[in-house]
């Protein structure tokens, strides 16, 4: 906690700029992108899905034009249809203030449906399953796995089960990268990552 993981996401989306050095995307400095064009490259699903006191449909669309077929594909892919199809008002059901009419897992799936509809090439996942029970986590993780296909996906996680299959795992401690590699490579190094895995899973 407090190592700087979320700061990396804020730098990528230019919510903040670095005090020194530069961040590049596709070899181009972020400062050289039009801000709107840059942010169109990213979809974000975070631990606290920001929902508004509007219908589920409006929460997914967020003002973007979309045909019914694309919207349907998004809610099926994100497993939103699993619960909205049983609601009397379906997607026109109010989400309630800050999404209070929905469970945590349902709110996350609505946020994932937004990301599916946005169809950005880079997906940022910030502790997207950390606050969920086991059943909700399974459904949300399945939706995230499907959403990640064909995209560059960056995942912030304390729960290491969500990153074990990543192509590269980067361990950050006190603002610095201390290790990076695949799960097997980092376990073989027997350093900070291996210690965390052993702590969480009791692996030797």
């Amino acid at each position: 906690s407090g190592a700087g993981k979320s700061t990396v996401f804020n730098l990528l989306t230019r919510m903040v700029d670095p005090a020194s050095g530069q961040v590049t995307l596709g070899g181009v400095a972020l400062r050289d992108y039009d801000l709107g064009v840059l942010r169109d490259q990213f979809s974000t699903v975070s631990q606290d899905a920001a929902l508004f006191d509007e219908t589920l449909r409006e929460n997914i669309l967020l003002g973007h034009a979309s045909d019914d077929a694309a919207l349907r594909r998004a809610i099926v892919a994100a497993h939103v249809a699993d619960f909205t199809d049983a609601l009397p008002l379906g997607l026109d059901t109010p989400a309630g203030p800050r999404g209070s009419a929905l469970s945590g897992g349902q709110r996350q799936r609505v946020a994932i449906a937004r990301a599916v509809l946005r169809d950005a090439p880079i997906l940022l996942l910030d502790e997207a399953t950390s606050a969920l029970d086991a059943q909700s986590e399974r459904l949300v993780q399945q939706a995230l796995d499907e959403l990640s296909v064909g995209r560059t996906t960056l995942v912030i996680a304390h729960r290491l089960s969500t990153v074990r299959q990543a192509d590269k795992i980067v361990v950050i401690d006190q603002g610095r990268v201390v290790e990076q590699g695949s799960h097997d490579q980092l376990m073989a190094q027997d350093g900070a990552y291996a210690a965390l895995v052993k702590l969480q899973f009791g692996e030797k």
Side-chain angles (χ1 to χ4, degrees):
S1 297
K5 301 182 298 299
S6 295
T7 300
V8 172
F9 281 14
N10 288 335
L11 287 166
L12 285 172
T13 54
R14 288 201 65 196
M15 302 301 289
V16 296
D17 285 322
S20 61
Q22 66 177 6
V23 182
T24 62
L25 176 62
V28 178
L30 297 191
R31 291 176 185 271
D32 293 338
Y33 281 90
D34 173 83
L35 192 58
V37 171
L38 173 68
R39 290 180 176 165
D40 280 345
Q41 306 309 303
F42 299 95
S43 290
T44 303
V45 180
S46 64
Q47 178 179 350
D48 299 311
L51 299 192
F52 303 96
D53 191 11
E54 303 290 348
T55 66
L56 296 177
R57 183 188 308 275
E58 290 166 322
N59 269 287
I60 294 169
L61 293 174
L62 285 183
H64 296 290
S66 177
D67 60 52
D68 288 343
L71 179 59
R72 181 65 189 177
R73 285 194 298 271
I75 67 168
V76 169
H79 296 274
V80 170
D82 293 357
F83 65 91
T84 56
D85 285 355
L87 296 172
L89 297 178
L91 286 177
D92 295 312
T93 301
R98 298 180 60 84
S100 57
L102 305 176
S103 70
Q106 290 170 340
R107 287 194 295 272
Q108 290 297 78
R109 284 182 270 172
V110 169
I112 294 166
R114 281 179 185 165
V116 172
L117 205 58
R118 187 173 172 83
D119 198 26
I122 303 171
L123 178 61
L124 306 179
L125 304 179
D126 189 353
E127 298 281 10
T129 63
S130 63
L132 304 179
D133 59 58
Q135 182 176 5
S136 295
E137 181 186 10
R138 180 181 59 79
L139 287 171
V140 168
Q141 190 61 54
Q142 183 179 346
L144 291 173
D145 290 344
E146 293 167 7
L147 177 57
S148 297
V149 173
R151 291 178 172 83
T152 297
T153 305
L154 303 179
V155 182
I156 289 175
H158 284 106
R159 192 177 291 180
L160 300 181
S161 59
T162 61
V163 299
R164 291 177 69 145
Q165 302 304 316
D167 297 302
K168 179 185 284 187
I169 298 167
V170 179
V171 184
I172 301 177
D173 186 20
Q174 297 183 26
R176 295 183 179 277
V177 173
V178 294
E179 291 178 335
Q180 53 186 316
S182 68
H183 171 79
D184 290 341
Q185 289 168 339
L186 293 179
M187 290 303 293
Q189 289 181 26
D190 200 26
Y193 177 82
L196 289 170
V197 170
K198 291 170 186 174
L199 185 65
Q200 286 195 21
F201 302 106
E203 294 187 11
K204 301 295 186 184

